[in-house]
Amino acid sequence: MDALRVLPFLGLALWMVPLLWPLGPGPEGLPPGTGADTAPGMTTADALRYIFGVWLLLILSAAVLWRRTGDLPGPGEPVDPAAPAEGGG
Amino acid sequence: MVSLNQLVIVCLTYVAGLFIVAFAAERAALRGHGDWLLRSPLVYTLSLSIYCTAWTFYGAVGYAARSGLEYVTIYLGPSLIMVAWWWLLRRLVRIGRAQRVTSIADLISSRFGKSNLLAIVVTTMAVIGVTPYIALQLQSVTLSLSIFAVSEAPADGAVPDLGSSALWVAVGLALFTVLFGTRNLNVNERHHGVVIAVAVEAVVKLVALLAVGIFVVWGLAGGIENTLARIDASDIGQWRVDGSRWAALTILAAAAFVCLPRMFQVMVVENDDERHLQIASWAFPLYLMLMSLFVVPIAVTGLDLLPPGSNPDLFVLSLPLSEGQNGLAMLSFLGGFSSATSMVIVATLALSTMVSNHIVMPIFLAVRQGGASQSGDVRNVVILARRLSILLIIGLGYSYYRASGGSGALAAIGLISFGGVAQFLPALLGGIFWRGATRAGALSGLATGFALWMFTMLLPSFGEGVALSAGIFAEGVLGLGWLRPQALFGIEGLDPTVHAVVWSLSLNALVFGLVSIFTFPDPVERLQGAQFVNVLDHSRPTRSWTASVAGSEELMIMAQRILGAREAQVFFRHWAQRQGGAGTLPEPTPDFVQALERELAGAVGAATAHAMVAQIVGGASVSVQDLLAVADESAQMLEYSSQLEAKSRELVETAAQLRAANEKLTQLSLQKDNFLSQISHELRTPMTSIRSFSEILRDTDRLSAEDKTRYASIIHTEALRLTRLLDDLLDLSVLENGQVTLNLARCTLGDVLDHAVTTAQTGATRPLTIERDPAEENLGFLTDPDRLAQVFINLVTNAQKYCVSAAPRLRISTARHDGWIDVIFLDNGAGIAPQDRALVFEKFTRLMRTGDAGDGAGLGLSICREIMTRLGGHIDLVEGGDGTAFRVRLPAGQAEAPKARVGDMQRVG
């Protein structure tokens, strides 16, 4: 349950990491194909890997938590008194 | 090559297919089939995908081609929100369910005391905020059509007019939505048809985008590694995302994800089961991730392969087209078309619900006097209102599209829309987490944020010189430098989007908080605030119709007008059967009325339905009046229960009195029996002796004169005794009937006592010592001296007769207090047993005594009591002391100052 609560904050923190990355130089003045070799910045491919990696991690964790916690939100779940009538609407 | 006509045919076929799917879904839902699919978490997750509009489909690639990875922020925010479902969405869904919320405007107005003003403000803001978004869809469909048109056009470049095609798309979408969105009236119940159609469209757009992505990565770029290498080699190969934009856009997207009316519709209103949220918490981020997975490769490949100057927003279409993949291009077009149509359908649906429920219906009901009791079918009005709202909203979108020139990048337009709806966030979050939030705070916060958004985002988006002059951009409003739309308060150099988001949201929240702190919520706000903030603690809907006074007929009449005659009858019959009744009208139980209100809420909105039902039922527990009614009711109940208590106390007392009376009656009955035998005996004894002696006198001739005299005197004595007895009885009867006449005269107590003592002691056989204090007795007053003397004589005689002491003594003392004169007769006898005390004054009572019992008839004290009552006083038995103490109480009002009379203790032997 605590993991469920903490997970979004973990995701937020991980996704805000790119704020720390150095900005690469602009496209002008850079010969095509040499950017990755000369600039110290992050390449887009690495950034992609990182961001989608975090994404995948979050999805998997959420799925695992869903499996683990099961029907946890059950208690206090409201029972709809008019549920059988809905079909007639 | 795909011709425009082919494209139109494919589109129409696709739309027809959607119609069939939606129709089938509604039929299935109507029959109760297919719940496993209609209410499945899969469909719920897919319906959330209306977040991914044409902006995602086309615009994300364009965004990526222009700004690199920044586009991904638009999907990171919602992913975080979904993962954080435990914190926010769970509450929202619970509230939505408990309060029967139909839209975000409904939620906010409901939280802040069901304020219609607030609902109108939120609705207006939502319409204005979403308008650019609808324009965005028009633009994207138009653009995508233009690609086919260009590729079809002859070399001389006779491109068809794009403006007219946008109009046709707008008209088509409007028609589509009117047909699709107002097919049935019920919003509160789930829109199964729409939801299924949206889910299908979600699959189509995902498949289309994935297909293009796979084609690009494996077909054009030659695998993942090559693609990554190509990415790094491209213009966007470096991480160049501005940190402030990264953070601001993530937050903005997260806010918009919650606040967008269409997202609220599918996420909260259409939610069937809270548990779906948790599944969507990983499934929806997965969907978003898949949607954005191939964006960068497509953008990079497009930049590489397509001629410079191609619109990057259309890479998704133009790449397959340029490679001759017509089928893929068609699929891709359908994907974009799906994204646009599903968004427009749900968005206009949500907005038109808000407009009709919060603006049109209240006005209509206010104009048509009589509220719920008016005649006529309200349904037509609602449907008409909704259709007009749809036309209005799409018309606004088209106008915006024309006004903004259709030139802005898709992403920029989308962000403007996001910025607008994100202004709801402070009020929303404040409303569900902070009980202190007030309506005034929400209104002023919303107004502040919205004004800033208009000034810094919406109006500048039309370009310089359209809505705001170039002068204002450069020098600010009225030449005030700190009022420049893109450099508020003189802070320059910020990205315009970040600038707008930061200022509008932060000032919005600040004003909201400050005003909330300094204003006080009214009772309904407090109640709603508590219910919203504590929704997880008591998740049962707290409102319930308390009264069963509603007439089923009245409810039926109202329901028929709103739901339609047939539907209403079906609904009522269903409930009647459910309650086990034989007729067609169910009992108006709280459950039933609540279900009916839900049903009506779908047609006319929760607030209106509530008001209408309240008119007939007469009060649930949420408005001030209702609260007052509740308070009244409890006060009444309190009063009622105290009345009950008093009554039951009374009853207990009465029962005790009855018991006592019964006891007395039983005793009296016994006494009467005793008396009758006694009186017969009393009468017979003298009668017998009178008869015997008179017979002797008559029949015996030789009687001596002495004997004759003796017998005659015996007869005389007995006759006297009889006379006395009869006199007593007569006297008592006269006294009891109130026929006695009093001979009032002025006398002194001492004289009356003297007379009484003398009379009583005349002829007495036993000696009785009487102690008196003449000084005390020197009281003059007005009374009937003979009657009073009769009482005193009786008391003295009683003492003489019944005092068992060896030396009988009677003390007569007199006291004055509180307006009374008490004369107490205390003897030194054995006293009267407690069980006999209640009876001494009753008629025919003769206490079992030793001594000469049977001498009297037992009427003396009864006569005394009657006399005293006539004289305005009373006589009673005083407790305590050794002997018997009778107290004769006389009213002292008639007493006079004592005369000068000297004397000391007088002993009468």
Side-chain angles (χ1 to χ4, degrees), chain B residues 8-26 176 180 183 193-194 196-201 204 334 337-338 341 345:
Chain B
V8 169
I9 290 169
V10 169
C11 276
L12 289 180
T13 316
Y14 175 70
V15 169
L18 278 186
F19 255 114
I20 292 170
V21 169
F23 185 67
E26 297 216 329
F176 189 93
F180 216 123
R183 270 176 44 96
V194 171
I196 283 289
V198 166
V200 170
E201 294 197 297
V204 170
L334 277 185
F337 188 72
S338 295
T341 50
I345 289 167

mmCIF file of all heavy atoms in Angstrom, chain B residues 8-26 176 180 183 193-194 196-201 204 334 337-338 341 345:
data_model
loop_
_atom_site.group_PDB
_atom_site.id
_atom_site.type_symbol
_atom_site.label_atom_id
_atom_site.label_comp_id
_atom_site.label_asym_id
_atom_site.label_seq_id
_atom_site.Cartn_x
_atom_site.Cartn_y
_atom_site.Cartn_z
ATOM 1 N N VAL B 8 -12.980 9.893 -48.942
ATOM 2 C CA VAL B 8 -14.273 10.241 -48.365
ATOM 3 C C VAL B 8 -15.105 8.976 -48.180
ATOM 4 O O VAL B 8 -15.747 8.780 -47.137
ATOM 5 C CB VAL B 8 -15.005 11.269 -49.245
ATOM 6 C CG1 VAL B 8 -16.447 11.433 -48.793
ATOM 7 C CG2 VAL B 8 -14.273 12.589 -49.221
ATOM 8 N N ILE B 9 -15.042 8.097 -49.189
ATOM 9 C CA ILE B 9 -15.817 6.859 -49.092
ATOM 10 C C ILE B 9 -15.329 6.026 -47.915
ATOM 11 O O ILE B 9 -16.126 5.510 -47.100
ATOM 12 C CB ILE B 9 -15.727 6.053 -50.404
ATOM 13 C CG1 ILE B 9 -16.510 6.791 -51.492
ATOM 14 C CG2 ILE B 9 -16.279 4.648 -50.236
ATOM 15 C CD1 ILE B 9 -16.286 6.250 -52.872
ATOM 16 N N VAL B 10 -14.000 5.902 -47.793
ATOM 17 C CA VAL B 10 -13.450 5.120 -46.676
ATOM 18 C C VAL B 10 -13.888 5.722 -45.342
ATOM 19 O O VAL B 10 -14.292 5.015 -44.417
ATOM 20 C CB VAL B 10 -11.913 5.062 -46.781
ATOM 21 C CG1 VAL B 10 -11.317 4.504 -45.499
ATOM 22 C CG2 VAL B 10 -11.511 4.225 -47.965
ATOM 23 N N CYS B 11 -13.810 7.040 -45.282
ATOM 24 C CA CYS B 11 -14.205 7.709 -44.032
ATOM 25 C C CYS B 11 -15.657 7.417 -43.693
ATOM 26 O O CYS B 11 -15.995 7.090 -42.557
ATOM 27 C CB CYS B 11 -14.046 9.216 -44.162
ATOM 28 S SG CYS B 11 -12.394 9.753 -43.850
ATOM 29 N N LEU B 12 -16.511 7.540 -44.708
ATOM 30 C CA LEU B 12 -17.926 7.327 -44.461
ATOM 31 C C LEU B 12 -18.187 5.886 -44.032
ATOM 32 O O LEU B 12 -18.979 5.629 -43.122
ATOM 33 C CB LEU B 12 -18.750 7.680 -45.708
ATOM 34 C CG LEU B 12 -18.823 9.175 -46.017
ATOM 35 C CD1 LEU B 12 -19.646 9.430 -47.266
ATOM 36 C CD2 LEU B 12 -19.404 9.943 -44.834
ATOM 37 N N THR B 13 -17.488 4.957 -44.695
ATOM 38 C CA THR B 13 -17.633 3.558 -44.321
ATOM 39 C C THR B 13 -17.218 3.351 -42.871
ATOM 40 O O THR B 13 -17.887 2.667 -42.095
ATOM 41 C CB THR B 13 -16.743 2.675 -45.222
ATOM 42 O OG1 THR B 13 -16.876 3.119 -46.555
ATOM 43 C CG2 THR B 13 -17.119 1.213 -45.094
ATOM 44 N N TYR B 14 -16.101 3.987 -42.546
ATOM 45 C CA TYR B 14 -15.582 3.863 -41.190
ATOM 46 C C TYR B 14 -16.595 4.411 -40.172
ATOM 47 O O TYR B 14 -16.903 3.771 -39.159
ATOM 48 C CB TYR B 14 -14.266 4.621 -41.099
ATOM 49 C CG TYR B 14 -13.672 4.669 -39.722
ATOM 50 C CD1 TYR B 14 -13.145 3.534 -39.122
ATOM 51 C CD2 TYR B 14 -13.636 5.873 -39.010
ATOM 52 C CE1 TYR B 14 -12.593 3.588 -37.864
ATOM 53 C CE2 TYR B 14 -13.089 5.932 -37.750
ATOM 54 C CZ TYR B 14 -12.576 4.785 -37.176
ATOM 55 O OH TYR B 14 -12.044 4.843 -35.936
ATOM 56 N N VAL B 15 -17.134 5.572 -40.517
ATOM 57 C CA VAL B 15 -18.118 6.184 -39.615
ATOM 58 C C VAL B 15 -19.343 5.286 -39.489
ATOM 59 O O VAL B 15 -19.864 5.060 -38.390
ATOM 60 C CB VAL B 15 -18.513 7.585 -40.122
ATOM 61 C CG1 VAL B 15 -19.709 8.106 -39.361
ATOM 62 C CG2 VAL B 15 -17.339 8.518 -39.988
ATOM 63 N N ALA B 16 -19.768 4.736 -40.613
ATOM 64 C CA ALA B 16 -20.919 3.835 -40.568
ATOM 65 C C ALA B 16 -20.607 2.635 -39.683
ATOM 66 O O ALA B 16 -21.442 2.198 -38.880
ATOM 67 C CB ALA B 16 -21.279 3.388 -41.979
ATOM 68 N N GLY B 17 -19.385 2.113 -39.824
ATOM 69 C CA GLY B 17 -18.974 0.991 -38.970
ATOM 70 C C GLY B 17 -19.050 1.364 -37.493
ATOM 71 O O GLY B 17 -19.544 0.603 -36.655
ATOM 72 N N LEU B 18 -18.580 2.571 -37.178
ATOM 73 C CA LEU B 18 -18.637 3.034 -35.784
ATOM 74 C C LEU B 18 -20.075 3.089 -35.292
ATOM 75 O O LEU B 18 -20.383 2.691 -34.165
ATOM 76 C CB LEU B 18 -18.028 4.422 -35.668
ATOM 77 C CG LEU B 18 -16.517 4.507 -35.573
ATOM 78 C CD1 LEU B 18 -16.114 5.948 -35.326
ATOM 79 C CD2 LEU B 18 -16.006 3.619 -34.449
ATOM 80 N N PHE B 19 -20.936 3.584 -36.163
ATOM 81 C CA PHE B 19 -22.344 3.661 -35.801
ATOM 82 C C PHE B 19 -22.890 2.290 -35.457
ATOM 83 O O PHE B 19 -23.594 2.109 -34.467
ATOM 84 C CB PHE B 19 -23.155 4.248 -36.969
ATOM 85 C CG PHE B 19 -23.570 5.653 -36.733
ATOM 86 C CD1 PHE B 19 -23.069 6.679 -37.511
ATOM 87 C CD2 PHE B 19 -24.445 5.960 -35.713
ATOM 88 C CE1 PHE B 19 -23.436 7.988 -37.284
ATOM 89 C CE2 PHE B 19 -24.835 7.260 -35.482
ATOM 90 C CZ PHE B 19 -24.323 8.286 -36.268
ATOM 91 N N ILE B 20 -22.519 1.323 -36.308
ATOM 92 C CA ILE B 20 -23.028 -0.030 -36.080
ATOM 93 C C ILE B 20 -22.518 -0.558 -34.739
ATOM 94 O O ILE B 20 -23.263 -1.124 -33.939
ATOM 95 C CB ILE B 20 -22.619 -0.952 -37.244
ATOM 96 C CG1 ILE B 20 -23.382 -0.513 -38.498
ATOM 97 C CG2 ILE B 20 -22.909 -2.403 -36.929
ATOM 98 C CD1 ILE B 20 -22.898 -1.170 -39.759
ATOM 99 N N VAL B 21 -21.218 -0.350 -34.514
ATOM 100 C CA VAL B 21 -20.644 -0.819 -33.243
ATOM 101 C C VAL B 21 -21.354 -0.164 -32.058
ATOM 102 O O VAL B 21 -21.771 -0.831 -31.105
ATOM 103 C CB VAL B 21 -19.128 -0.503 -33.191
ATOM 104 C CG1 VAL B 21 -18.591 -0.724 -31.790
ATOM 105 C CG2 VAL B 21 -18.398 -1.368 -34.196
ATOM 106 N N ALA B 22 -21.529 1.152 -32.165
ATOM 107 C CA ALA B 22 -22.163 1.875 -31.058
ATOM 108 C C ALA B 22 -23.600 1.392 -30.850
ATOM 109 O O ALA B 22 -24.039 1.157 -29.720
ATOM 110 C CB ALA B 22 -22.153 3.370 -31.357
ATOM 111 N N PHE B 23 -24.274 1.212 -31.979
ATOM 112 C CA PHE B 23 -25.664 0.779 -31.907
ATOM 113 C C PHE B 23 -25.758 -0.611 -31.269
ATOM 114 O O PHE B 23 -26.563 -0.843 -30.354
ATOM 115 C CB PHE B 23 -26.246 0.762 -33.322
ATOM 116 C CG PHE B 23 -27.699 0.450 -33.357
ATOM 117 C CD1 PHE B 23 -28.622 1.335 -32.828
ATOM 118 C CD2 PHE B 23 -28.154 -0.733 -33.920
ATOM 119 C CE1 PHE B 23 -29.963 1.056 -32.864
ATOM 120 C CE2 PHE B 23 -29.499 -1.019 -33.957
ATOM 121 C CZ PHE B 23 -30.408 -0.129 -33.431
ATOM 122 N N ALA B 24 -24.872 -1.499 -31.748
ATOM 123 C CA ALA B 24 -24.875 -2.862 -31.202
ATOM 124 C C ALA B 24 -24.585 -2.834 -29.705
ATOM 125 O O ALA B 24 -25.214 -3.547 -28.917
ATOM 126 C CB ALA B 24 -23.849 -3.711 -31.932
ATOM 127 N N ALA B 25 -23.640 -1.984 -29.319
ATOM 128 C CA ALA B 25 -23.280 -1.915 -27.896
ATOM 129 C C ALA B 25 -24.469 -1.445 -27.071
ATOM 130 O O ALA B 25 -24.749 -1.978 -25.997
ATOM 131 C CB ALA B 25 -22.095 -0.978 -27.711
ATOM 132 N N GLU B 26 -25.189 -0.435 -27.597
ATOM 133 C CA GLU B 26 -26.316 0.060 -26.819
ATOM 134 C C GLU B 26 -27.424 -0.969 -26.731
ATOM 135 O O GLU B 26 -28.082 -1.109 -25.700
ATOM 136 C CB GLU B 26 -26.834 1.359 -27.440
ATOM 137 C CG GLU B 26 -25.776 2.443 -27.405
ATOM 138 C CD GLU B 26 -26.351 3.814 -27.172
ATOM 139 O OE1 GLU B 26 -27.488 4.041 -27.611
ATOM 140 O OE2 GLU B 26 -25.662 4.633 -26.546
ATOM 141 N N PHE B 176 -22.262 14.571 -37.006
ATOM 142 C CA PHE B 176 -21.882 13.302 -36.385
ATOM 143 C C PHE B 176 -22.155 13.333 -34.875
ATOM 144 O O PHE B 176 -22.765 12.436 -34.308
ATOM 145 C CB PHE B 176 -20.392 13.109 -36.658
ATOM 146 C CG PHE B 176 -19.855 11.775 -36.280
ATOM 147 C CD1 PHE B 176 -19.801 10.761 -37.220
ATOM 148 C CD2 PHE B 176 -19.380 11.521 -34.996
ATOM 149 C CE1 PHE B 176 -19.286 9.530 -36.884
ATOM 150 C CE2 PHE B 176 -18.879 10.295 -34.665
ATOM 151 C CZ PHE B 176 -18.827 9.288 -35.614
ATOM 152 N N PHE B 180 -24.728 11.299 -32.828
ATOM 153 C CA PHE B 180 -24.109 10.301 -31.969
ATOM 154 C C PHE B 180 -24.296 10.638 -30.496
ATOM 155 O O PHE B 180 -24.641 9.788 -29.676
ATOM 156 C CB PHE B 180 -22.606 10.274 -32.278
ATOM 157 C CG PHE B 180 -22.023 8.912 -32.208
ATOM 158 C CD1 PHE B 180 -21.373 8.371 -33.311
ATOM 159 C CD2 PHE B 180 -22.104 8.165 -31.061
ATOM 160 C CE1 PHE B 180 -20.823 7.119 -33.256
ATOM 161 C CE2 PHE B 180 -21.556 6.905 -31.001
ATOM 162 C CZ PHE B 180 -20.918 6.386 -32.102
ATOM 163 N N ARG B 183 -28.129 10.831 -29.148
ATOM 164 C CA ARG B 183 -29.018 9.725 -29.492
ATOM 165 C C ARG B 183 -29.899 9.381 -28.300
ATOM 166 O O ARG B 183 -31.079 9.150 -28.427
ATOM 167 C CB ARG B 183 -28.191 8.495 -29.878
ATOM 168 C CG ARG B 183 -27.868 8.415 -31.349
ATOM 169 C CD ARG B 183 -26.978 7.244 -31.588
ATOM 170 N NE ARG B 183 -27.451 6.087 -30.851
ATOM 171 C CZ ARG B 183 -28.212 5.151 -31.345
ATOM 172 N NH1 ARG B 183 -28.580 5.233 -32.594
ATOM 173 N NH2 ARG B 183 -28.598 4.131 -30.630
ATOM 174 N N GLY B 193 -22.694 3.120 -26.022
ATOM 175 C CA GLY B 193 -22.393 3.229 -27.444
ATOM 176 C C GLY B 193 -21.178 4.101 -27.690
ATOM 177 O O GLY B 193 -20.244 3.717 -28.392
ATOM 178 N N VAL B 194 -21.193 5.272 -27.082
ATOM 179 C CA VAL B 194 -20.090 6.196 -27.291
ATOM 180 C C VAL B 194 -18.800 5.605 -26.753
ATOM 181 O O VAL B 194 -17.742 5.674 -27.398
ATOM 182 C CB VAL B 194 -20.398 7.544 -26.613
ATOM 183 C CG1 VAL B 194 -19.182 8.440 -26.638
ATOM 184 C CG2 VAL B 194 -21.575 8.202 -27.291
ATOM 185 N N ILE B 196 -17.932 2.514 -26.339
ATOM 186 C CA ILE B 196 -17.415 1.438 -27.195
ATOM 187 C C ILE B 196 -16.810 2.016 -28.469
ATOM 188 O O ILE B 196 -15.727 1.609 -28.913
ATOM 189 C CB ILE B 196 -18.557 0.451 -27.533
ATOM 190 C CG1 ILE B 196 -18.841 -0.452 -26.331
ATOM 191 C CG2 ILE B 196 -18.206 -0.402 -28.727
ATOM 192 C CD1 ILE B 196 -17.766 -1.462 -26.050
ATOM 193 N N ALA B 197 -17.514 2.991 -29.053
ATOM 194 C CA ALA B 197 -16.981 3.607 -30.274
ATOM 195 C C ALA B 197 -15.627 4.243 -29.997
ATOM 196 O O ALA B 197 -14.687 4.101 -30.788
ATOM 197 C CB ALA B 197 -17.969 4.642 -30.797
ATOM 198 N N VAL B 198 -15.533 4.922 -28.854
ATOM 199 C CA VAL B 198 -14.265 5.546 -28.497
ATOM 200 C C VAL B 198 -13.186 4.489 -28.308
ATOM 201 O O VAL B 198 -12.033 4.663 -28.727
ATOM 202 C CB VAL B 198 -14.449 6.399 -27.223
ATOM 203 C CG1 VAL B 198 -13.116 6.775 -26.629
ATOM 204 C CG2 VAL B 198 -15.252 7.630 -27.540
ATOM 205 N N ALA B 199 -13.577 3.376 -27.705
ATOM 206 C CA ALA B 199 -12.600 2.310 -27.485
ATOM 207 C C ALA B 199 -12.119 1.754 -28.819
ATOM 208 O O ALA B 199 -10.910 1.519 -29.020
ATOM 209 C CB ALA B 199 -13.218 1.204 -26.637
ATOM 210 N N VAL B 200 -13.055 1.558 -29.745
ATOM 211 C CA VAL B 200 -12.654 1.070 -31.070
ATOM 212 C C VAL B 200 -11.713 2.057 -31.738
ATOM 213 O O VAL B 200 -10.674 1.684 -32.293
ATOM 214 C CB VAL B 200 -13.914 0.830 -31.936
ATOM 215 C CG1 VAL B 200 -13.512 0.571 -33.372
ATOM 216 C CG2 VAL B 200 -14.713 -0.333 -31.390
ATOM 217 N N GLU B 201 -12.072 3.334 -31.616
ATOM 218 C CA GLU B 201 -11.217 4.348 -32.233
ATOM 219 C C GLU B 201 -9.843 4.382 -31.573
ATOM 220 O O GLU B 201 -8.840 4.629 -32.235
ATOM 221 C CB GLU B 201 -11.887 5.706 -32.146
ATOM 222 C CG GLU B 201 -13.153 5.745 -32.974
ATOM 223 C CD GLU B 201 -13.647 7.148 -33.255
ATOM 224 O OE1 GLU B 201 -13.992 7.853 -32.297
ATOM 225 O OE2 GLU B 201 -13.669 7.530 -34.424
ATOM 226 N N VAL B 204 -7.948 1.737 -33.192
ATOM 227 C CA VAL B 204 -7.588 2.108 -34.568
ATOM 228 C C VAL B 204 -6.396 3.058 -34.572
ATOM 229 O O VAL B 204 -5.425 2.861 -35.301
ATOM 230 C CB VAL B 204 -8.802 2.744 -35.282
ATOM 231 C CG1 VAL B 204 -8.381 3.353 -36.603
ATOM 232 C CG2 VAL B 204 -9.877 1.704 -35.506
ATOM 233 N N LEU B 334 -7.013 7.228 -41.281
ATOM 234 C CA LEU B 334 -8.133 6.819 -40.428
ATOM 235 C C LEU B 334 -7.791 6.989 -38.950
ATOM 236 O O LEU B 334 -8.639 7.383 -38.145
ATOM 237 C CB LEU B 334 -8.510 5.360 -40.701
ATOM 238 C CG LEU B 334 -9.442 5.119 -41.889
ATOM 239 C CD1 LEU B 334 -9.824 3.656 -41.959
ATOM 240 C CD2 LEU B 334 -10.681 5.987 -41.777
ATOM 241 N N PHE B 337 -8.123 10.534 -38.219
ATOM 242 C CA PHE B 337 -9.545 10.863 -38.266
ATOM 243 C C PHE B 337 -10.238 10.376 -36.986
ATOM 244 O O PHE B 337 -11.033 11.092 -36.363
ATOM 245 C CB PHE B 337 -10.153 10.201 -39.506
ATOM 246 C CG PHE B 337 -11.567 10.602 -39.780
ATOM 247 C CD1 PHE B 337 -11.866 11.868 -40.251
ATOM 248 C CD2 PHE B 337 -12.609 9.708 -39.586
ATOM 249 C CE1 PHE B 337 -13.170 12.238 -40.509
ATOM 250 C CE2 PHE B 337 -13.912 10.070 -39.832
ATOM 251 C CZ PHE B 337 -14.194 11.345 -40.299
ATOM 252 N N SER B 338 -9.897 9.153 -36.603
ATOM 253 C CA SER B 338 -10.446 8.598 -35.352
ATOM 254 C C SER B 338 -10.117 9.499 -34.176
ATOM 255 O O SER B 338 -10.985 9.813 -33.353
ATOM 256 C CB SER B 338 -9.839 7.230 -35.057
ATOM 257 O OG SER B 338 -10.192 6.313 -36.012
ATOM 258 N N THR B 341 -12.204 12.656 -34.409
ATOM 259 C CA THR B 341 -13.647 12.509 -34.195
ATOM 260 C C THR B 341 -13.958 12.090 -32.761
ATOM 261 O O THR B 341 -14.866 12.631 -32.144
ATOM 262 C CB THR B 341 -14.240 11.475 -35.164
ATOM 263 O OG1 THR B 341 -13.456 10.294 -35.103
ATOM 264 C CG2 THR B 341 -14.271 12.003 -36.565
ATOM 265 N N ILE B 345 -16.293 14.255 -30.419
ATOM 266 C CA ILE B 345 -17.546 13.692 -29.922
ATOM 267 C C ILE B 345 -17.617 13.827 -28.405
ATOM 268 O O ILE B 345 -18.560 14.401 -27.846
ATOM 269 C CB ILE B 345 -17.667 12.200 -30.313
ATOM 270 C CG1 ILE B 345 -17.907 12.067 -31.811
ATOM 271 C CG2 ILE B 345 -18.812 11.548 -29.552
ATOM 272 C CD1 ILE B 345 -17.726 10.658 -32.310
#
